[in-house]
Amino acid sequence: MAGQQDKEAAKQAKKEKRAASKARRGQLFEAFKMQRKEDPWLIPWMVGSIVVVAGVLFGIGFFFDAQWALLPLGLVLGALLAMIIFGRRVQKTVYSKADGQPGAAAWALENLRGKWKVTPTVAATTQLDAVHRVLGGPGVVLVAEGAQHRVKTLLAQEKKRVSRLVGDTPIYDVTIGHEEGQIPLKKLQGFLMKLPRNLKPAQVDALEAKLAALGNRGAAMPKGPMPAGAKMRNVQRTIRRR
């Protein structure tokens, strides 16, 4: 009886794995179609990378009379490079569309690679300015988005509030934008990665538990970047009601 159940469980697991793999391929194909419409240079870059890498390995193999043996390897490596190029160009397009939209910084933080603990919108205004909190190896990082003259005060207030609880833990702050002293959205990940690692994982967990008691100030921001063309007044009215 147990053996039969194990077989059924294994069969179901394989079925779910195949379904998940099919879904990922479908998503990848849809992303490729969308990017191809936005980016006329996508296919030339991808095809060119395959041809160049395969050609280089074929040329190297020619001197050792092993060109046909190295050609398949060149095609595989070229295909891998093409996928990397595809991913980078998709990322560039996504960030360029999100840049400058309310909620874009929160969206970027929630899609960070690595072990970061993100709490979006720990402080906000009804004008869709916001401060988000990130915990990680550097310590506490406060990320602000919105109008500079409003965000500056909001950021200072949140930094003062956090400092009362974290003691000597380093607190960094950054504002997303293109003005002097600000960080563009697409460079946010790089900025965080360059910060010094001051805390160990156990210390980060303890810090998260300590800051959980602070709660959030102000209105909740919309999930993700606000769509282009959305009416600001309607969004602000929705936020005030929350």
Side-chain angles (χ1 to χ4, degrees):
M1 185 68 178
Q4 182 65 25
Q5 290 178 344
D6 290 341
K7 288 182 180 180
E8 291 179 357
K11 186 177 180 181
Q12 181 64 26
K14 288 182 179 179
K15 185 178 180 180
E16 291 176 356
K17 187 177 180 180
R18 286 196 299 268
S21 179
K22 183 178 180 180
R24 284 194 297 270
R25 289 196 301 270
Q27 292 173 354
L28 188 63
F29 183 64
E30 288 300 318
F32 174 77
K33 289 197 299 183
M34 291 177 63
Q35 182 63 21
R36 187 178 60 178
K37 293 178 181 178
E38 299 280 343
D39 183 2
W41 286 99
L42 175 64
I43 292 179
W45 270 103
M46 293 180 69
V47 173
S49 65
I50 296 174
V51 172
V52 170
V53 174
V56 168
L57 284 183
F58 186 85
I60 293 173
F62 184 80
F63 290 102
F64 300 96
D65 197 25
Q67 63 268 33
W68 299 112
L70 289 180
L71 181 59
L73 177 61
L75 292 173
V76 171
L77 293 178
L80 289 175
L81 179 59
M83 290 304 298
I84 293 172
I85 290 173
F86 168 65
R88 293 286 177 86
R89 294 181 80 87
V90 167
Q91 185 182 51
K92 182 179 179 181
T93 298
V94 170
Y95 273 89
S96 64
K97 286 187 175 182
D99 195 13
Q101 297 182 27
W107 164 80
L109 290 171
E110 290 176 341
N111 287 279
L112 286 175
R113 297 186 301 273
K115 297 181 180 180
W116 301 95
K117 299 179 183 293
V118 178
T119 304
T121 324
V122 292
T125 69
T126 55
Q127 288 81 20
L128 304 182
D129 312 298
V131 175
H132 316 290
R133 187 174 66 232
V134 183
L135 304 181
V140 181
V141 186
L142 300 176
V143 180
E145 61 176 324
Q148 178 73 3
H149 63 283
R150 292 191 299 262
V151 157
K152 188 176 181 180
T153 301
L154 196 66
L155 193 56
Q157 292 173 346
E158 186 59 27
K159 193 170 184 178
K160 183 177 180 180
R161 197 165 73 114
V162 170
S163 64
R164 292 170 182 168
L165 285 180
V166 301
D168 295 331
T169 301
I171 303 175
Y172 303 90
D173 62 81
V174 59
T175 301
I176 302 300
H178 297 277
E179 297 179 14
E180 186 178 355
Q182 297 180 337
I183 298 293
L185 183 67
K186 64 181 180 181
K187 294 185 178 180
L188 178 58
Q189 171 91 33
F191 169 82
L192 293 174
M193 295 302 296
K194 290 178 181 178
L195 293 176
R197 294 301 183 260
N198 303 306
L199 304 181
K200 296 180 179 179
Q203 292 175 302
V204 176
D205 292 338
L207 187 62
E208 182 183 30
K210 187 181 293 185
L211 289 174
L214 277 180
N216 295 355
R217 295 187 301 119
M221 289 281 287
K223 294 283 186 179
M226 193 175 72
K231 294 183 179 180
M232 183 71 74
R233 290 182 180 178
N234 292 344
V235 176
Q236 291 172 339
R237 191 180 301 118
T238 302
I239 289 175
R240 292 190 190 101
R241 291 173 180 171
R242 292 180 180 178

